[in-house]
Amino acid sequence: MYIILLGAPGAGKGTQAAYVAQELNLIHIATGDLFRQAVEQGTELGMEAKSYMEKGILGPDEITIRMVLERISAPDGESGVIFDGFPRNLKQAEALDEALAQQDKAIDKVVYIKVSEEELLKRLSGRWICRNCQAPYNAINSPPKVWGKCDRCGGELYQRPDDTPPVIKQRLQVYFHETAPLIDFYTQAGKLLEVSGEGSIDEMGKRIITALGEGN
Ligand code: AP5
């Protein structure tokens, strides 16, 4: 099964992708996490990625597409994948379709998580992330049991440098301009499932699993 989670920054893609991956035994591929790992490791890609992430703009398509295609061609990618933060524009979507078609595979469903702009801003400004396993928390909605420490692995929690008001604004603009057109693209392909992203994290998770079950 190949699933895409589509939605604005802060819609809950990372939170739900981790849950759905566990429930359906899929590999979770998050391009934002791959870029942040490269930044942490101080690689050449990481130094480049840092500059566009800090500005809230997208990285080059060629690099992003190559990174994802390498990851899905690994043996564990055979059992199915949930994509989080990829594709981000038409070029990436078409490259993914083409690469999967070469292996006689295709995207099964695209879950579009719809959240109001007001709620997105609240979620992003309260977000804390584990430096070690990338689990997301929220100061208001889903705080960790011990402040500053990840419930899952005990790692240190930090705030993303792109979760500041001006960069959030830029990321939302990029989303509406470059990524939102994919809603039409996947609707026309008959693959889009729209799910409300309002409500608790648990409710949302159940809604997505139900929608995927009904969509088959
Ligand atoms: P990326 O890391 O993909 O960021 P994003 O798309 O902006 O999405 P976020 O991670 O901010 O939000 P999310 O939807 O995952 O929400 P989350 O679950 O964390 O990309 C970062 C950058 O990398 C880009 O700007 C770009 O530069 C680069 N990049 C990445 N992919 C790229 C690509 N394909 N091409 C080119 N460049 C790329 O939840 C948010 C908060 O809300 C958390 O605190 C969470 O606890 C909370 N929350 C979640 N659900 C709920 C709920 N139901 N109720 C209350 N709170 C909730």
Side-chain angles (χ1 to χ4, degrees):
M1 203 174 194
Y2 289 84
I3 299 169
I4 293 170
L5 285 195
L6 186 62
K13 302 182 297 296
T15 306
Q16 296 304 332
Y19 171 71
V20 176
Q22 203 175 15
E23 288 292 302
L24 303 182
N25 195 24
L26 303 171
I27 302 299
H28 174 188
I29 299 182
T31 38
D33 289 348
L34 293 177
F35 281 130
R36 278 183 290 278
Q37 274 161 23
V39 172
E40 283 274 310
Q41 288 160 1
T43 61
E44 202 179 317
L45 167 65
M47 285 191 286
E48 202 189 323
K50 192 168 184 280
S51 72
Y52 44 75
M53 290 174 92
E54 277 175 356
K55 294 189 192 101
I57 55 174
L58 297 183
D61 287 330
E62 288 70 23
I63 295 176
T64 313
I65 292 165
R66 195 173 351 113
M67 198 167 69
V68 171
L69 299 190
E70 270 172 25
R71 183 64 190 87
I72 58 174
S73 62
D76 62 352
E78 291 285 313
S79 59
V81 173
I82 182 156
F83 297 97
D84 153 14
F86 182 90
R88 277 298 231 269
N89 56 28
L90 213 51
K91 190 169 176 192
Q92 295 183 8
E94 286 169 349
L96 180 61
D97 279 352
E98 211 174 291
L100 289 175
Q102 279 171 10
Q103 301 172 31
D104 284 329
K105 291 172 184 155
I107 292 296
D108 294 286
K109 289 290 163 198
V110 178
V111 179
Y112 164 46
I113 306 177
K114 193 173 180 187
V115 179
S116 71
E117 210 169 318
E118 191 192 353
E119 178 69 16
L120 295 173
L121 294 173
K122 261 197 263 171
R123 290 185 187 177
L124 291 173
S125 48
R127 172 165 60 183
W128 288 78
I129 303 207
C130 175
R131 208 177 274 287
N132 182 42
C133 73
Q134 271 71 54
Y137 295 87
N138 193 279
I140 303 156
N141 304 315
S142 52
K145 290 188 183 111
V146 178
W147 185 248
K149 278 204 181 285
C150 177
D151 294 349
R152 290 187 209 166
C153 73
E156 177 206 2
L157 302 188
Y158 78 108
Q159 282 195 292
R160 272 172 44 176
D162 59 347
D163 277 347
T164 57
V167 187
I168 291 173
K169 196 172 160 214
Q170 174 64 27
R171 286 161 61 205
L172 287 172
Q173 269 178 15
V174 169
Y175 168 76
F176 289 118
H177 190 247
E178 298 192 41
T179 310
L182 291 180
I183 298 167
D184 273 352
F185 177 78
Y186 288 117
T187 301
Q188 277 165 26
K191 297 188 176 179
L192 198 89
L193 299 170
E194 183 176 313
V195 169
S196 165
E198 311 279 338
S200 74
I201 290 173
D202 284 356
E203 281 164 1
M204 242 175 98
K206 288 189 186 114
R207 224 176 273 151
I208 292 174
I209 296 289
T210 304
L212 284 170
E214 287 168 355
N216 280 331

